[in-house]
Structure formats: C-alpha cells, structure tokens
C-alpha cells in the first residue's frame, strides 16, 4: 500500500491509500470553496457528568444528494468533488462540516450560573471513503480492500492520537438512511475527541471493578464464556470470534473480539488484520441475508483512550442494526431515550441462531 497526503482547496488534508505500487501524481483541487462556519462548542451536563457537543453549523451539510452530485465520487468529466482525483482506492480527508474543530482561541461566556464548564469543541473529524464505486457497500468489498481500510484506520488512529488535546479516537461506519446516513456512497468517519467518551469511561470502570473483585480480565472472560457456551457465537476464525452478546440491546447485534487482547487497532498484527477482513465480510453477508433488504447498521470500533487507563481497555468492534423484522424498525422510545433502559424484542440466542443459519 502507498500513502499520499495532499491538500484540498481550502487547506484541509486529504490522504490517499492506494493498493498498487505506482506513485500517485499530484491532483490539485481547483475549486473555489466558500468558507464554512465551524463554531463548535462543548457544554458539560452536571447531572450526567457528560460533555455535549453543539455544532449548529452542521445544519447546512449535504443531505442525500443525487448520484450525479455525490461529493465522495471521483472528480471526473468536469464534476469536482471532495476527492480531486479521477480514481482512488481508499481516501481520508477532513470533514468540511465537522462536529469538532481546531481550537480557534474563542472565549466562551457562561450560559448559566450552574454551568461548570463550557469549551470550544476542539478535535478533528475525518471522512474515510471505502472506494470509488458509488453503488457498492462494505459487504461488497474484497478482503484486500478491507485490509487497506484497516491500514487507513491504523494510520489515522496513530496520527490523530498524536494531536495535542486528543484523548480518544473513534472509527465508525453508519450504513443506511434508517440510521441517519446523509450520503449513500460507502464511507465511514473518524472522530478525535478531546475527552474520553461516556461509554468508554463506564466500560473501563466495569473492567477495573471486575479486576479488583475477581482478579480476572473482564474482556477475556466474556470472550471465553461466549466461546464455551457456543449458543451465541455467530462465526469464528483463527484470530477472531463474532458473537451476539448475552445482554444485546439491539434486535441484530454482533461483537467481534480478537482472541489476543490488544488496546487498539495499531496493536493488531498483520495476520490478525488479514483474518479480520475475512471474518467481518462473512458476518456482514449473514446480516444482509436476514431480511429482504440490506441491513442498516452502525459499526463502531472501541479503542483504548490515548493516554489514560489503557491497561484496562480492549479493542473490539460492535455492529448493530435498528431493523427488528421485515419493514419494521426499532425506535428508541420512552424507556430507551428517557431512562436509558433498552427493551429488546429479539432474544440474543434466537438472533445468533438466525445469523448462523444465514451462512448455510
């Protein structure tokens, strides 16, 4: 794989990850881009002790454009897009409408007497495009392409982790309009947060409490229990196991754990990355075979924080869908949205069985 970094017309960074050995020729971006307002800020919720990002400028971002106006397709035939090149394999670039932005030195006034903190929403948001084919999906990619995407995840995790103020790097994909996708072209995103996210904090607390109480490794013990029970295992390979968690919140939910506990994507070996590509494509094919239409899903990589509590964290991928039956979606209603208590209409054991059968 060859990595080439360039700049877009407004100065944003773009990085090409090419599968061949040929040297990429420079591809200048001739667009005259208007400036975009990026007044992101963070406000601290004193009740939940969580940061909330407010990014009102994102109201104007591109929303489900027609295919001939897709900003992620290659730039060809006089049509200029976010990717100036006429062809590419995998490409990452800074989001033009980011939720998190570089610190611009703004001084933010308090918004209430009880507010303990208000900060610029400092960080970085990138788009990672999985290929130039507008009509493809991740499940349609080759194992080689998935391996290239993994190399891009590793590259961006390392680079973003090195930025001042970044505390956690989050790689994810949203697929399907039911999830809220605003661009159909196959792509994911990468967020560099200036704080450790609430989900990660709570998971690390659980892992540390489990270690104090039992002396064991929570992640390793969860994996071993699922492997021994077998009833919720969907697929296994030499280096990975995919299973439906015993307390799945979503009607379709699969977790992929590496057999060797590692903190983050850069810590995976070449063999583990190759093996993941094969297993993950198998899992996605099974998910798509469940119903009469491609499954909308979110695929979320959980990595260790950049600086703190890394020994308590473990890399894993969680994939879940809001579809609970043909033509039916699970909406976050009163208990989920109001109280954070999930109610799943599908038993995890039944979901795992259907996913195993979908591969036959």
């Amino acid at each position: 794989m060859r990595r080439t970094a360039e700049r877009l017309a407004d100065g944003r960074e773009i990085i090409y990850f090419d599968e061949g050995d040929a040297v990429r020729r420079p591809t200048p971006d001739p667009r005259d881009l208007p400036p975009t307002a990026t007044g992101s800020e963070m406000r601290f919720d004193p009740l939940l002790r969580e940061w909330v990002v407010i990014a009102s400028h994102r109201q104007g971002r591109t929303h489900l454009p027609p295919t001939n106006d897709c900003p992620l397709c290659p730039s060809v035939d006089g049509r200029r897009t976010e990717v100036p090149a006429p062809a590419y394999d995998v490409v990452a670039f800074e989001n033009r409408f980011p939720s998190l932005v570089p610190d611009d030195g703004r001084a933010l006034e308090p918004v209430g007497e009880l507010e303990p903190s208000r900060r610029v929403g400092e960080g970085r948001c990138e788009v990672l495009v999985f290929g130039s084919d507008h009509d493809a999906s991740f499940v349609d990619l080759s194992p080689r392409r998935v391996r290239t995407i993994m190399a891009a995840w590793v590259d961006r995790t390392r680079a973003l982790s090195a930025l001042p103020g970044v505390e956690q790097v989050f790689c994810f994909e949203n697929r399907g309009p039911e999830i809220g996708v605003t661009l159909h072209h196959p792509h994911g995103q990468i967020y560099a947060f200036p704080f450790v996210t609430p989900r990660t904090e709570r998971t690390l607390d659980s892992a540390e409490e489990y270690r104090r109480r039992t002396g064991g490794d929570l992640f390793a013990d969860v994996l071993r229990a699922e492997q021994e029970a077998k009833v919720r295992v969907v697929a296994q390979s030499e280096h990975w196991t995919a299973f439906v968690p015993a307390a799945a919140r979503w009607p379709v939910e699969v977790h992929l754990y590496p057999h060797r506990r590692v903190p983050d994507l850069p810590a995976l070996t070449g063999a583990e990355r190759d093996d993941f590509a094969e297993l993950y494509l198998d899992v996605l094919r099974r998910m798509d075979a469940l119903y009469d239409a491609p499954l909308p899903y979110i695929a979320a990589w959980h990595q260790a924080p950049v600086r703190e509590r890394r020994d308590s964290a473990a890399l894993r991928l969680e994939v879940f869908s809001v579809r609970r039956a043909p033509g039916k979606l699970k909406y976050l209603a009163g208990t989920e949205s109001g109280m954070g208590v999930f109610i799943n209409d599908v038993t995890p054991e039944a979901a795992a069985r259907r996913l195993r059968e979908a591969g036959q």
Side-chain angles (χ1 to χ4, degrees):
M1 188 200 70
R2 184 178 291 273
R3 179 188 188 279
T4 306
E6 298 182 5
R7 292 285 174 180
L8 296 173
D10 54 6
R12 286 175 293 136
E13 187 176 24
I14 183 169
I15 303 150
Y16 298 92
F17 299 90
D18 293 313
E19 293 169 350
D21 294 327
V23 176
R24 173 172 286 277
R25 298 177 60 186
T27 51
D29 182 5
R31 296 176 297 170
D32 182 16
L33 294 175
T36 57
T38 54
S40 176
E41 66 174 90
M42 303 188 312
R43 298 185 184 183
F44 192 73
D45 181 339
L47 297 183
L48 295 179
R49 301 196 60 77
E50 296 177 358
W51 287 103
V52 176
V53 177
I54 299 173
S56 59
H57 61 278
R58 284 174 52 80
Q59 283 278 40
R61 68 187 186 275
T62 306
H63 182 76
L64 297 177
T67 300
N68 61 3
D69 199 26
C70 173
L72 304 184
C73 285
S75 291
V76 293
D77 301 329
R79 183 183 55 161
R80 299 298 179 180
T81 71
E82 286 283 75
V83 187
Y88 63 86
D89 293 326
V90 176
V91 63
F93 59 87
E94 293 181 72
N95 198 325
R96 189 157 180 257
F97 300 95
S99 299
L100 301 167
V101 300
D103 188 357
D104 56 9
R106 281 178 293 143
L108 302 179
E109 296 294 329
V111 293
E113 292 182 1
L114 293 180
E115 186 195 4
S117 189
R118 184 185 181 200
R119 295 166 47 188
V120 171
E122 184 180 4
R124 177 151 156 161
C125 297
E126 296 186 349
V127 177
L128 183 67
V129 190
F130 302 146
S132 57
D133 185 353
H134 180 85
D135 297 318
S137 186
F138 202 112
V139 71
D140 302 316
L141 303 177
S142 67
R144 182 186 184 188
R145 176 57 52 83
V146 178
R147 185 64 170 77
T148 304
I149 293 168
M150 292 200 77
W153 282 330
V154 168
D155 178 279
R156 303 318 301 147
T157 296
R158 285 175 173 153
L160 297 179
S161 295
L163 295 178
V166 170
E167 298 296 336
Q168 186 172 0
V169 177
F170 175 43
C171 306
F172 65 101
E173 179 196 2
N174 298 334
R175 183 222 205 184
E178 300 92 337
I179 293 296
V181 167
T182 57
L183 295 173
H184 288 304
H185 197 111
H187 72 287
Q189 298 183 62
I190 305 172
Y191 274 40
F193 287 106
F195 52 83
V196 178
T197 63
R199 181 82 177 273
T200 300
E201 290 274 17
R202 187 169 182 179
T203 302
L204 296 178
D205 289 345
S206 297
E208 291 167 0
E209 188 278 334
Y210 184 83
R211 182 183 299 161
R212 288 192 297 269
R213 179 167 50 86
T214 69
D217 180 331
L218 177 60
F219 300 102
D221 288 355
V222 165
L223 175 60
R224 182 172 58 254
E226 294 294 350
Q227 290 171 332
E228 292 175 353
K230 295 184 173 60
V231 66
R232 287 177 295 275
V233 172
V234 175
Q236 282 184 285
S237 62
E238 180 181 358
H239 297 288
W240 296 79
T241 293
F243 62 91
V244 178
R249 289 165 168 76
W250 303 94
V252 182
E253 180 176 347
V254 180
H255 295 188
L256 289 86
Y257 276 44
H259 296 166
R260 183 178 67 93
R261 178 177 164 180
V262 296
D264 52 24
L265 287 159
L268 293 172
T269 66
E272 288 166 334
R273 297 181 199 177
D274 290 341
D275 195 38
F276 170 82
E278 298 280 358
L279 183 68
Y280 186 41
L281 290 174
D282 175 49
V283 169
L284 290 181
R285 283 190 288 266
R286 293 170 187 267
M287 293 174 70
D288 269 359
L290 288 178
Y291 303 121
D292 55 355
L295 202 70
Y297 65 77
I298 293 174
W301 279 107
H302 292 260
Q303 303 196 80
V306 172
R307 295 173 181 84
E308 61 183 62
R309 307 174 76 183
R310 289 179 60 82
D311 291 342
S312 299
L315 176 73
R316 65 200 183 279
L317 179 67
E318 298 183 2
V319 190
F320 55 92
S321 177
V322 297
R323 189 175 301 285
R324 58 184 177 87
K328 297 180 180 179
L329 300 179
K330 173 181 177 58
Y331 294 97
L332 296 189
T335 59
E336 290 93 353
S337 295
M339 286 288 108
V341 178
F342 275 70
I343 299 175
N344 194 347
D345 299 326
V346 181
T347 66
E349 293 75 20
R353 183 179 65 252
R354 291 195 61 207
L355 285 165
R356 286 195 300 270
E357 294 171 350
Q360 297 175 358

